[in-house]
Amino acid sequence: MNKFLIPFLGSILLCSNMMVAQDKWSSNRADGHAPISIMGDHTHHKGEFMVSYRYMPMWMDGLIEGNDAIENRKAFDNYMAVPQDMRMDMHMLGAMYAVCNRVILAGILNYIDNDMDLRSRMGMNFTTESSGFGDIAVNALINFYDKDRQKIHANLGVSIPTGDLEQSGDTPTMQNARLAYPMQLGSGTLDPSIGVTYLG
Ligand SMILES: [Cu+2]
């Protein structure tokens, strides 16, 4: 009798352990992670360390005023030079480290490469460029709920304005002119961010 009882009890124990394991949120499934552009979607177990590299190219063109597309002609009423298109390449270096199961630190540093084609009011086409390291974002992810295969963590962070704001280049009207805001590498301000992430 005992011969059968022991494996039987053993399998019940295993199953109950599995039930406990299944109680917790797991990112092991194929859909367990958010799309790559979403930062801070997951946390780590104590002592785990992760480094990441993400690359994001972006193309922009066209002019709008409010919600309406406008022609160059209209923009020249107010501006000496008007952007025609812009390309931005962002290289994002990230690191995560779990201090304990509850608190995970994450940092992101961007390297940015910008190119902007412009046209002057006199009809001259020219290009401006800027590149360098952008702002540094430091985040803490704090786990506070993990039950019934649902998990909630808080995202508390701050973006530190380390990116250069003095990027300059030559334009038809001025040598070494300070470039427009979208060509600068940082926001220039200390930006806090607060979020809550729910996984289920
Ligand atoms: Cu990670």
Side-chain angles (χ1 to χ4, degrees):
M1 185 66 185
N2 270 354
K3 238 189 264 173
F4 295 100
L5 196 62
I6 288 164
F8 176 71
L9 280 175
S11 61
I12 285 186
L13 270 174
L14 262 179
C15 285
S16 61
N17 277 341
M18 273 170 70
M19 291 296 279
V20 171
Q22 277 186 355
D23 252 350
K24 297 260 181 197
W25 160 259
S26 160
S27 61
N28 291 343
R29 265 169 50 154
D31 59 356
H33 281 274
I36 188 110
S37 60
I38 295 173
M39 307 283 182
D41 70 315
H42 66 275
T43 55
H44 287 274
H45 295 293
K46 185 181 175 179
E48 284 179 7
F49 189 78
M50 178 183 127
V51 285
S52 62
Y53 166 76
R54 291 173 170 92
Y55 167 64
M56 184 168 76
M58 219 195 294
W59 294 266
M60 290 157 270
D61 62 20
L63 300 171
I64 55 168
E65 187 180 59
N67 293 321
D68 305 317
I70 58 165
E71 298 288 323
N72 279 333
R73 200 162 25 87
K74 187 148 190 238
F76 283 132
D77 290 346
N78 296 313
Y79 299 97
M80 290 290 287
V82 167
Q84 302 301 294
D85 52 67
M86 178 172 171
R87 174 168 173 144
M88 179 190 231
D89 287 290
M90 272 175 92
H91 304 269
M92 289 169 273
L93 302 167
M96 293 178 85
Y97 175 70
V99 182
C100 58
N101 281 338
R102 188 173 283 272
V103 181
I104 295 88
L105 300 177
I108 302 162
L109 173 64
N110 295 322
Y111 184 86
I112 304 164
D113 198 345
N114 295 319
D115 276 278
M116 187 189 270
D117 295 322
L118 301 103
R119 185 170 299 166
S120 75
R121 198 183 276 176
M122 310 302 279
M124 200 183 204
N125 293 319
F126 64 101
T127 303
T128 56
E129 294 168 1
S130 63
S131 61
F133 285 101
D135 294 343
I136 294 174
V138 182
N139 293 292
L141 310 180
I142 297 153
N143 280 316
F144 60 88
Y145 182 91
D146 194 352
K147 256 185 214 161
D148 303 329
R149 291 203 274 170
Q150 298 177 89
K151 192 168 97 67
I152 308 174
H153 63 260
N155 308 56
L156 305 174
V158 67
S159 171
I160 303 159
T162 49
D164 186 31
L165 299 173
E166 304 283 342
Q167 292 287 308
S168 53
D170 296 339
T171 71
T173 49
M174 195 179 168
Q175 295 265 302
N176 213 26
R178 193 174 182 184
L179 298 178
Y181 180 75
M183 295 294 285
Q184 299 300 331
L185 305 175
S187 72
T189 51
L190 202 69
D191 308 317
S193 65
I194 301 169
V196 176
T197 301
Y198 165 80
L199 301 163

